[in-house]
Amino acid sequence: MRALVDTSGEGQIASARGLVKTYGKGEAAVRALDGVDVDFARGELTAIMGPSGSGKSTLMHCMAGLDTPTAGTVMVDGEDVGRMSQRRLTRLRRTRLGFVFQAFNLIPTLTAEENITLPLDIARGTLDRAWFDTVVDAVGLRDRLDHRPTELSGGQQQRVACARALVSRPAVVFADEPTGNLDSRSSGEVLGFLRRSVDELGQSVVMVTHDPTAASYAHRVLFLADGRLVGELEQPTTETVLDALRDLGAGREAADHDASLARPSGHAAPGTAGARHAAGPVPR
Amino acid sequence: MTRVALRGIRSHLGRFLLSVLAVLLGVAFVAGTFSLRTMMSSTFSELVETSTVGDAYVRGAEQIAAAASADMAAVRTGVPLDLVEEVAAVDGIGTALPEITGPIVLVGADGTAVAAGNGPPSFALALHPEEPSTELVAGRAPTGLGEVALETATLEASGLAVGDSAQVVLGGELTPVDVVGEVSFGAPVAGATIVFLDPVTATEVFAPEGLVTSIAVYAEGDLDEEAVVERLRAALGPTLDGLDAEVATGEAVRDETRAQVEQILGFVSTFLLVFAAIALFVGAFIIANTFQMTVRQRQREFAMLRAIGASPAQVFTSILVQALVVGMLGSALGVGAGVGLVAGLREVFARMGMELSGQIPLDGFTVLVSVLIGTVVSVAAAAVPARRAALTPPVEAMRDDVAAHDRGSVIRAVVGGLLLAGGVAAVAVATLGELDEPGMLLGAGAAGVVIGTLLLAPTVVPAALRVLAAPAVLALRPLGGLARGNVTRNPRRTASTAGALMIGMALVGAAAVLATSTQASTRAIVENESTADLLLQSATMAVPAEAAREVGEVDGVGAADLLEVATVTVDGDARTAIGVEAGIFTRALDITVVEGALESLADGEVAVQRGTAEDEGWAVGDELEVRGAAGTLSLTVGAIIDSRAIGVPLVLAQEQYGELVPAGQSVIDSVFITLATGAEVEEVRAAITEVITPYVVVTVLDNEEFADQIADQVDQILVILYALLGLSIVIAVLGIVNTLALSIAERTREIGLLRAVGLGRFQLATVVTIESVLTAVFGTLLGVGIGVGLAATLPTVYADEGLTTLVVPWSQLGVVLGLAVVVGVLAAVWPAVRAARLDVLDAVSYE
């Protein structure tokens, strides 16, 4: 097993240290992220899993600069996302990040092709035709480019969204439940494409999902529970992911117990390596 | 269900705020108009009440019925002054006072005329010490020609004080006077300038022939008005009949006066109500749009309600209840705003020296009508979207992306197309055909064009906006394209938002064309027909006779031809007639003679305008019985003329005119000056200016300036029209704000997505601004196009009325279009800021 925190900084495309996100104030405060240290490897498809409310979406939103962390640092492609102004965040999203959401990914008034090139148009970047063709062929939408989103199936729409996320050659693509609204066949197409974009096109992808089958397409799966990183799995299969989740459910009480013991006065200061998490119930 | 509807309003108050504001503005206009009318009318009633206090009036019999006469006051023959003694001698009569009145110009402390112009009248009255309606507040009553007393408000407006010396233009002569007293009627006089003279002087000036308009009769003791009239009739019956005079009760006279006032106010308020109606009509677009959008947003909510057992009727009703609340709230606030508006206006009037009656009246009628109008408009506007919501099947509504089904769009487009085609055809027929009354057809055609365009607009939106957006799409990639997509994705919404603006802009375009064409036509008339070197005119519309005489004696003036105006009757119908020196047509006026010869004027014949001659079937050689206040003549038609400079039906030579119209009642409209050979225009002009300066109200103009002056008057009217149309344009702009705000709310997730893929805040604001400008420009182009197109037919249709030249003011229209861009940018500010402030994450996950 590789260390969750890669201190060398060589192989990582994005990382977080001591990431805390609190919603609400006082009594009603909810700690969505409770001191997360994580690295996402370059050239890998990483899946983030966890039960509802585990903080997996919040983690991704913070990594992507869509949400501001309460404490901790977030680095994406060598830049400190947490300290960025709105203007710089906008520029970051434009040039270095790609997004695929669960639903409502496309602008209904634009054709598939216009949707794909939208980030480049916004950034006034020049379109690399060869790369565009590569991406379009990879998602298999060559004959659908002139169609509007309403004329495409759900799976096709998500593939257009994937193509859009990749067309500007971002440092990292964040996908938030990209197959959440799709049937299994369409899911397979989208996930297959995301995996190929990593293996064949050399992209880095971070994907949030609660579907073990979806997670099995990843190189690595990270498990979150109660705002903390509780385990990881490399080269997962649907079965190993399911096993891990089952164990996670059983191990959660133990982890909570562990946390309460290790935390006499609140949480450890941000930046201190949470090597403890690595001791989570990670099945081999 | 009602509870659901009311909660819906409360939780989405913002959505309805602009609808409420639209209703508020429209209703404020309506309520303001009504209460302004009530206030004006009570001011005048009060004035009538306090100034016309006689128990009975002896006056000349009605010669021209009030309704038939253009200026609405009945034309009556005079009664002889001698009758006063006889009336006073009748048993039971206390006093009989002749009402002697006439025009006067008072020169104020600042050397300018007090209240001269087209506003409230300026007149002199004989002050009888016994008169109960007037009260001497300060000083004493005037005695002799050199003394006057002033009405309280007049004194204030003039800046003079009791004891000051001043000048008046009286009986056409400039007269120095002393202000010796202040007189009050005990009520505001609505800005009239009133100067009191002693009865002897007034009689000399205004009744040199011994004829007065009426004699006020006051009873001795408690005799009621009817009894006074009875006694006068009994005692003086044959005398009165012989003089063609009649006796009326005080109340009857007061009623007549009040009726005249009401009639004039009626015209004014009808005029204002037309603009209020336009404003409300435009407001209805906003309401309809708002409900259409909120209904769409809440379709799932309705589906849920339907799923748990609500009937379509209940859904329909719940939406109408919301419209009802919006309408009533807007109307209630609008009534308040209307009262505020009138209070502001009264303040403005008071500043301008026009004191109006005490409180601002707000009667039940005004409140009821205003609230009713506002509410009905709201409910009617919401009915269509409500019906649509009620009839959408729940399953369809439950689905995620509800496509806007425009089932009615084809029918609507066809109906719109037919109306438009019919309208254009009607306008064409009215323009080309030889119709007697093209006005009606033209109006109907115009209505068809406007309504047809409104119906057809959604069909043309995609194509039209693609063209309009082309520059933005090319220049601002990808923002222009995004904006274009947003305005074309719901053509109906864009069309009705733009339609609201279209209506106001159509009127602006039409008014601009009409005004410019009128100005050009006038200029053409002046240039074609006036050969005079200079022209005298007066701000009071009456050049003092003495000024005219003096100007005639200035060195270098070859001829000063008077143009006098009065109302006479021809075979019983009231006609405006002018009296001129026959020679004027060789010197100062070059007009077209259709038949006969103008030289015949010198032989005592009469010239008639072609239009009148055609209407009445008069021809050269016909005999006309012309009757004036001073006498009756039988005159032969000697010429038929076609002149727009002389726009009156009847032209008389000075001799005949003098026999028909008493000197006191004639008005010198203008004086045409022709220079003696060899005289220098500038020198003569300087000399004339010197002569007329003391008369204050008289100005000397050359033809160019005369045309300019008329053009200025047209411009002033245009400014008033624009100000009145401004409200409907403001409401239309609110409509754009409303549509943008609601459509941004509708596509929150899309905005989140755009921001997530890197669209900057400023870029997002730019997209919204382009949408707004596109909508505003589309509406303006449609409106101005229609307005200009329709107005362009008017010179053809109304050439006979003096509108001969068609001029399209391209630069003005360009300014209007530029204004549309500005308006679009302004309307976008708030929605754009709101859109830019949306949090990306919230927006992406917005339900």
Side-chain angles (χ1 to χ4, degrees):
Chain A
M1 170 193 160
R2 197 173 60 201
L4 270 172
V5 176
D6 179 354
T7 41
S8 71
E10 274 301 302
Q12 71 205 33
I13 190 70
S15 64
R17 291 292 176 274
L19 194 59
V20 175
K21 179 67 191 181
T22 316
Y23 292 109
K25 283 195 172 137
E27 290 290 308
V30 175
R31 236 176 154 82
L33 290 178
D34 196 2
V36 172
D37 298 293
V38 67
D39 286 304
F40 296 100
R42 198 184 290 271
E44 272 192 5
L45 171 57
T46 313
I48 305 174
M49 290 200 78
S52 293
S54 62
K56 55 185 190 301
S57 283
T58 308
L59 173 62
M60 200 196 79
H61 291 151
C62 286
M63 296 303 301
L66 288 173
D67 210 346
T68 355
T70 312
T73 54
V74 174
M75 302 288 286
V76 172
D77 200 20
E79 298 213 45
D80 190 345
V81 172
R83 285 189 226 293
M84 278 189 179
S85 65
Q86 277 299 324
R87 187 177 296 271
R88 290 189 55 208
L89 275 176
T90 300
R91 199 159 58 223
L92 178 84
R93 286 201 290 267
R94 235 183 236 175
T95 53
R96 317 276 277 278
L97 305 183
F99 285 98
V100 181
F101 296 105
Q102 178 174 356
F104 210 81
N105 260 306
L106 306 177
I107 303 299
T109 55
L110 302 181
T111 62
E113 175 166 2
E114 286 168 334
N115 264 295
I116 293 172
T117 58
L118 185 62
L120 284 169
D121 284 339
I122 289 172
R124 300 183 159 277
T126 43
L127 178 65
D128 179 346
R129 257 297 149 186
W131 175 248
F132 174 81
D133 289 340
T134 309
V135 170
V136 168
D137 289 337
V139 291
L141 286 168
R142 173 66 56 194
D143 57 338
R144 292 273 166 197
L145 285 179
D146 292 335
H147 292 245
R148 304 241 166 179
T150 45
E151 298 159 345
L152 299 174
S153 72
Q156 286 170 334
Q157 288 187 26
Q158 283 308 76
R159 282 189 280 152
V160 172
C162 291
R164 187 206 48 221
L166 288 170
V167 78
S168 56
R169 289 181 193 269
V172 55
V173 172
F174 290 102
D176 189 358
E177 305 265 15
T179 57
N181 279 5
L182 301 182
D183 58 55
S184 58
R185 204 175 68 86
S186 302
S187 291
E189 285 170 8
V190 169
L191 292 163
F193 169 69
L194 283 177
R195 176 71 189 228
R196 263 183 289 132
S197 76
V198 173
D199 292 342
E200 293 167 20
L201 308 176
Q203 288 292 318
S204 308
V205 179
V206 177
M207 169 177 79
V208 165
T209 184
H210 62 261
D211 174 12
T213 315
S216 71
Y217 280 81
H219 291 96
R220 193 160 68 115
V221 184
L222 303 177
F223 295 93
L224 249 75
D226 297 326
R228 295 203 265 156
L229 210 50
V230 291
E232 76 156 329
L233 192 61
E234 298 219 34
Q235 306 303 333
T237 62
T238 311
E239 288 69 34
T240 54
V241 173
L242 277 170
D243 288 343
L245 284 173
R246 207 176 305 116
D247 291 348
L248 205 59
R252 256 166 89 182
E253 288 98 68
D256 281 350
H257 182 65
D258 182 29
S260 62
L261 284 179
R263 212 172 13 166
S265 59
H267 185 63
T272 56
R276 196 172 60 244
H277 297 299
V282 179
R284 303 304 314 258
Chain B
M1 282 304 279
T2 309
R3 194 167 61 209
V4 174
L6 295 179
R7 291 271 162 83
I9 281 215
R10 210 170 61 189
S11 57
H12 302 291
L13 201 62
R15 280 180 193 167
F16 297 103
L17 219 58
L18 285 161
S19 297
V20 170
L21 195 57
V23 179
L24 185 156
L25 289 175
V27 169
F29 207 150
V30 174
T33 304
F34 278 129
S35 60
L36 183 68
R37 183 194 169 144
T38 319
M39 184 171 76
M40 295 285 233
S41 129
S42 71
T43 302
F44 286 108
S45 309
E46 241 175 82
L47 188 56
V48 170
E49 217 63 55
T50 51
S51 61
T52 313
V53 294
D55 292 316
Y57 289 85
V58 178
R59 57 186 183 180
E62 212 169 313
Q63 187 190 23
I64 298 160
S69 165
D71 53 6
M72 263 129 15
V75 174
R76 293 172 181 281
T77 45
V79 285
L81 264 175
D82 317 337
L83 200 61
V84 173
E85 305 284 307
E86 288 180 53
V87 168
V90 172
D91 186 33
I93 302 302
T95 26
L97 302 169
E99 306 233 301
I100 309 165
T101 179
I104 193 166
V105 177
L106 174 66
V107 181
D110 60 357
T112 63
V114 179
N118 296 325
S122 173
F123 59 92
L125 273 178
L127 180 66
H128 304 285
E130 316 93 304
E131 179 98 46
S133 64
T134 50
E135 187 195 346
L136 200 58
V137 183
R140 57 181 177 77
T143 56
L145 185 58
E147 292 184 353
V148 296
L150 300 179
E151 194 276 330
T152 306
T154 305
L155 189 68
E156 198 179 316
S158 67
L160 297 165
V162 174
D164 283 359
S165 295
Q167 284 191 309
V168 292
V169 180
L170 181 60
E173 286 178 48
L174 192 64
T175 316
V177 292
D178 291 321
V179 179
V180 297
E182 178 187 343
V183 174
S184 170
F185 277 111
V189 294
T193 302
I194 306 173
V195 178
F196 293 93
L197 305 170
D198 77 292
V200 176
T201 307
T203 308
E204 278 172 16
V205 178
F206 299 126
E209 296 95 346
L211 287 172
V212 293
T213 47
S214 70
I215 300 167
V217 182
Y218 299 92
E220 201 173 33
D222 297 336
L223 213 54
D224 77 40
E225 293 191 348
E226 291 293 341
V228 173
V229 172
E230 285 307 312
R231 289 194 187 204
L232 284 173
R233 283 216 183 103
L236 300 170
T239 321
L240 291 174
D241 289 344
L243 290 167
D244 202 2
E246 62 173 33
V247 186
T249 60
E251 198 48 48
V253 173
R254 284 187 286 275
D255 281 347
E256 275 172 30
T257 316
R258 273 194 288 260
Q260 285 165 20
V261 170
E262 285 303 314
Q263 199 176 352
I264 295 165
L265 291 177
F267 282 123
V268 173
S269 53
T270 305
F271 178 73
L272 289 175
L273 283 176
V274 166
F275 288 91
I278 294 168
L280 272 172
F281 185 60
V282 171
F285 277 71
I286 298 190
I287 296 164
N289 246 1
T290 307
F291 276 94
Q292 196 200 325
M293 282 184 268
T294 52
V295 157
R296 224 166 96 82
Q297 283 176 333
R298 293 162 54 211
Q299 213 145 33
R300 279 206 242 182
E301 183 187 327
F302 296 133
M304 192 270 287
L305 288 171
R306 289 286 304 280
I308 61 170
S311 68
Q314 280 174 313
V315 170
F316 183 76
T317 315
S318 89
I319 296 166
L320 286 199
V321 165
Q322 293 189 334
L324 198 70
V325 172
V326 166
M328 294 210 292
L329 189 65
S331 305
L333 294 173
V335 169
V339 171
L341 198 72
V342 175
L345 267 181
R346 193 175 59 151
E347 201 55 36
V348 171
F349 280 142
R351 292 260 168 81
M352 286 165 27
M354 188 169 170
E355 207 74 44
L356 295 171
S357 138
Q359 76 233 6
I360 293 153
L362 189 64
D363 48 25
F365 173 78
T366 303
V367 176
L368 190 74
V369 167
S370 306
V371 171
L372 208 64
I373 288 175
T375 311
V376 166
V377 165
S378 307
V379 172
V384 175
R387 185 176 164 272
R388 176 176 293 240
L391 295 183
T392 305
V395 188
E396 192 176 326
M398 283 285 197
R399 275 213 296 271
D400 203 16
D401 294 312
V402 187
H405 287 288
D406 267 346
R407 273 186 291 270
S409 61
V410 175
I411 303 166
R412 170 206 274 260
V414 168
V415 172
L418 287 176
L419 271 174
L420 183 61
V424 169
V427 170
V429 169
T431 309
L432 303 171
E434 298 289 309
L435 293 172
D436 285 343
E437 291 287 335
M440 283 290 284
L441 193 61
L442 192 64
V449 168
V450 170
I451 296 169
T453 309
L454 285 175
L455 289 176
L456 208 53
T459 320
V460 301
V461 156
L465 284 174
R466 209 155 289 148
V467 173
L468 281 180
V473 172
L474 287 177
L476 294 162
R477 257 178 71 86
L479 309 181
L482 286 171
R484 180 184 62 188
N486 291 336
V487 287
T488 50
R489 77 167 75 171
N490 194 333
R492 206 160 144 183
R493 181 189 302 172
T494 306
S496 63
T497 309
L501 191 60
M502 182 195 105
I503 294 161
M505 286 301 184
L507 292 165
V508 166
V513 170
L514 200 55
T516 330
S517 299
T518 307
Q519 287 167 342
S521 305
T522 315
R523 211 170 278 280
I525 291 165
V526 171
E527 278 162 11
N528 290 341
E529 297 193 6
S530 174
T531 53
D533 297 298
L534 293 167
L535 182 74
L536 283 193
Q537 283 210 317
S538 163
T540 58
M541 305 294 145
V543 179
E546 188 62 17
R549 195 189 54 76
E550 281 183 47
V551 166
E553 288 167 4
V554 168
D555 271 350
V557 171
D561 290 304
L562 308 185
L563 197 141
E564 296 180 84
V565 184
T567 305
V568 297
T569 63
V570 179
D571 299 338
D573 294 328
R575 303 278 177 196
T576 306
I578 58 165
V580 291
E581 190 71 51
I584 192 171
F585 295 110
T586 55
R587 290 189 290 263
L589 285 171
D590 179 16
I591 62 177
T592 312
V593 181
V594 181
E595 211 187 328
L598 279 169
E599 288 72 33
S600 63
L601 280 178
D603 310 330
E605 295 188 343
V606 60
V608 292
Q609 195 74 245
R610 187 179 67 175
T612 316
E614 281 174 2
D615 289 349
E616 300 294 329
W618 296 339
V620 171
D622 285 2
E623 287 279 312
L624 304 179
E625 195 198 57
V626 185
R627 192 170 161 190
T632 307
L633 291 173
S634 188
L635 299 171
T636 311
V637 176
I640 289 171
I641 58 166
D642 188 2
S643 164
R644 297 188 181 102
I646 300 173
V648 300
L650 225 54
V651 180
L652 299 164
Q654 224 147 31
E655 297 72 39
Q656 283 73 37
Y657 181 86
E659 282 177 50
L660 292 168
V661 183
Q665 283 182 28
S666 181
V667 167
I668 302 174
D669 179 78
S670 36
V671 180
F672 291 85
I673 298 163
T674 320
L675 298 192
T677 29
E680 270 298 314
V681 175
E682 286 315 310
E683 278 172 33
V684 177
R685 184 175 180 153
I688 291 174
T689 307
E690 204 169 307
V691 167
I692 60 172
T693 304
Y695 290 95
V696 184
V697 288
V698 185
T699 43
V700 59
L701 307 160
D702 59 26
N703 283 335
E704 186 70 19
E705 289 166 329
F706 178 53
D708 286 347
Q709 192 188 324
I710 293 170
D712 283 351
Q713 286 168 10
V714 173
D715 278 338
Q716 281 170 20
I717 295 167
L718 198 62
V719 165
I720 294 171
L721 279 180
Y722 281 173
L724 290 171
L725 289 174
L727 184 68
S728 67
I729 289 170
V730 165
I731 294 178
V733 173
L734 285 180
I736 297 178
V737 175
N738 194 39
T739 302
L740 287 176
L742 290 178
S743 82
I744 283 166
E746 208 175 79
R747 43 179 226 258
T748 301
R749 286 172 74 181
E750 200 179 312
I751 287 169
L753 175 72
L754 281 168
R755 296 271 287 125
V757 299
L759 193 74
R761 287 183 170 182
F762 185 72
Q763 288 180 310
L764 179 59
T766 309
V767 172
V768 175
T769 308
I770 299 171
E771 285 173 43
S772 177
V773 170
L774 282 176
T775 310
V777 168
F778 176 63
T780 305
L781 278 179
L782 271 189
V784 168
I786 290 176
V788 170
L790 290 175
T793 65
L794 292 176
T796 321
V797 178
Y798 290 108
D800 285 350
E801 257 73 10
L803 196 64
T804 47
T805 319
L806 169 67
V807 179
V808 178
W810 294 113
S811 60
Q812 255 188 67
L813 298 177
V815 170
V816 170
L817 203 59
L819 213 65
V821 174
V822 174
V823 154
V825 172
L826 287 180
V829 171
W830 179 67
V833 167
R834 261 183 62 147
R837 284 209 182 133
L838 282 176
D839 182 75
V840 181
L841 194 56
D842 286 351
V844 169
S845 49
Y846 181 83
E847 277 299 322

